[in-house]
Amino acid sequence: MYGAIAGDIAGSLYEFNNIKTTNFKLFEKGSNYTDDSILTIAVADWILSDKKLTHTCLIQKLQEYGHTYNCPMGGFGGGFSCWLNSSNPLPYNSWGNGSAMRASAVGWAFDTLERTMEVAKISAEVTHNHPEGIKGAQATAAAIFLARNGKTKKEIQQYITTAFGYDLNRTYDEIRPTYTFNESCQETVPEAIIVFLESKDFEELLHLGVSLGGDSDTLTCIAGGIGEAFYGGIPSFVTKVIHERLDPHLAEIEHNFYAEYVTNKL
């Protein structure tokens, strides 16, 4: 999950001002966590506090965090903002990439791929109940589960392609020249996984994710969550940045989640 937050922070300055080069300094002044990190941690808190993993508790957590941190950098998406402020929040058939960017905790918390897929579906469908929204969350969580369980990049690529039908045979260099902002799962999640597949280490992953363009904070958030699991953690200087940026309550939930679900798996 720190990997997802690192990707969010790294891409935060470039979400609406894409940079198409890897030659930039990570974590420039003004970079910060966005709604991606806030809702990622909300899902982690749900997993920690509701062992039955109910829709009701997840809705409460997403609304609680959305109202507590109601002016994140970049803002919330329009559909989610309406859902957030509804007295009777119902799923709105979204295929947006918000379901995928908040799914990284699911990839760490469960012992089987089948259970990971089940909970990823729950985590998405309270808002993103469109098949593509559910698929994006499941693909992200599954990739993290496979990565932390020692699967090779080739094995992860083959599983995601077979299970979800994403085209992962494209290259970063083929995508970058014409890739523009897109908030859909179907045009963010595959690109994020390709970034992970082509990266040589976690730091390079952050540069590749941001410089691909598009919805850069969300794309790099998704890639970063997978990269952390595959590379066995994140560099210490990245951890330092996260600790400097995160609100104390968000940092506490992260710490508690790692203590219960992550530390003994890295």
Side-chain angles (χ1 to χ4, degrees):
M1 281 177 49
Y2 280 133
I5 293 169
D8 178 34
I9 296 172
S12 62
L13 291 177
Y14 305 105
E15 178 181 11
F16 303 114
N17 185 29
N18 285 175
I19 182 171
K20 292 285 189 172
T21 175
T22 57
N23 185 25
F24 67 94
K25 183 180 178 182
L26 289 172
F27 309 122
E28 289 277 27
K29 183 178 179 181
S31 63
N32 208 342
Y33 65 89
T34 76
D35 60 313
D36 297 28
S37 295
I38 292 165
L39 299 182
T40 292
I41 296 171
V43 171
D45 198 356
W46 168 60
I47 293 171
L48 282 168
S49 59
D50 179 23
K51 299 310 179 185
K52 293 183 179 180
L53 298 173
T54 63
H55 290 87
T56 299
C57 184
L58 176 57
I59 290 167
Q60 290 172 345
K61 288 296 181 184
L62 292 173
Q63 289 205 314
E64 173 191 333
Y65 278 74
H67 288 301
T68 301
Y69 303 94
N70 60 1
C71 294
M73 185 174 183
F76 291 112
F80 184 81
S81 292
C82 292
W83 181 91
L84 185 63
N85 292 299
S86 172
S87 59
N88 182 31
L90 298 173
Y92 48 96
N93 201 38
S94 177
W95 36 252
N97 54 29
S99 61
M101 61 80 170
R102 69 188 190 217
S104 60
V106 180
W108 284 101
F110 305 100
D111 294 332
T112 68
L113 181 57
E114 292 73 20
R115 184 58 174 155
T116 299
M117 296 276 279
E118 290 172 3
V119 179
K121 180 176 184 291
I122 297 169
S123 78
E125 65 190 1
V126 294
T127 52
H128 295 56
N129 59 331
H130 188 283
E132 292 291 346
I134 292 170
K135 186 166 80 171
Q138 289 182 318
T140 302
I144 292 170
F145 178 89
L146 295 170
R148 71 175 176 85
N149 280 287
K151 299 300 183 182
T152 66
K153 287 185 176 181
K154 188 64 175 178
E155 289 171 325
I156 296 169
Q157 180 183 27
Q158 289 174 341
Y159 178 81
I160 298 299
T161 299
T162 301
F164 301 104
Y166 287 146
D167 179 6
L168 302 182
N169 290 317
R170 298 166 295 152
T171 68
Y172 168 85
D173 286 333
E174 289 171 343
I175 296 167
R176 185 172 69 172
T178 58
Y179 187 63
T180 57
F181 188 91
N182 192 300
E183 62 185 13
S184 71
C185 275
Q186 52 269 44
E187 294 193 47
T188 304
V189 177
E191 287 75 12
I193 295 173
I194 288 167
V195 163
F196 154 68
L197 292 171
E198 292 206 18
S199 65
K200 296 181 179 66
D201 56 36
F202 188 82
E203 186 173 351
E204 183 185 52
L205 179 151
L206 295 179
H207 278 101
L208 291 177
V210 173
S211 63
L212 196 65
D215 192 353
S216 58
D217 60 331
T218 298
L219 189 153
T220 315
C221 173
I222 295 166
I226 304 168
E228 177 188 20
F230 185 84
Y231 294 119
I234 62 176
S236 58
F237 83 92
V238 178
T239 304
K240 182 174 184 291
V241 169
I242 293 170
H243 288 159
E244 289 171 348
R245 301 289 202 280
L246 274 188
D247 167 276
H249 174 67
L250 297 177
E252 180 184 11
I253 299 301
E254 277 288 275
H255 173 80
N256 293 343
F257 187 86
Y258 267 70
E260 184 161 345
Y261 292 111
V262 180
T263 301
N264 64 347
K265 298 173 183 174
L266 284 173

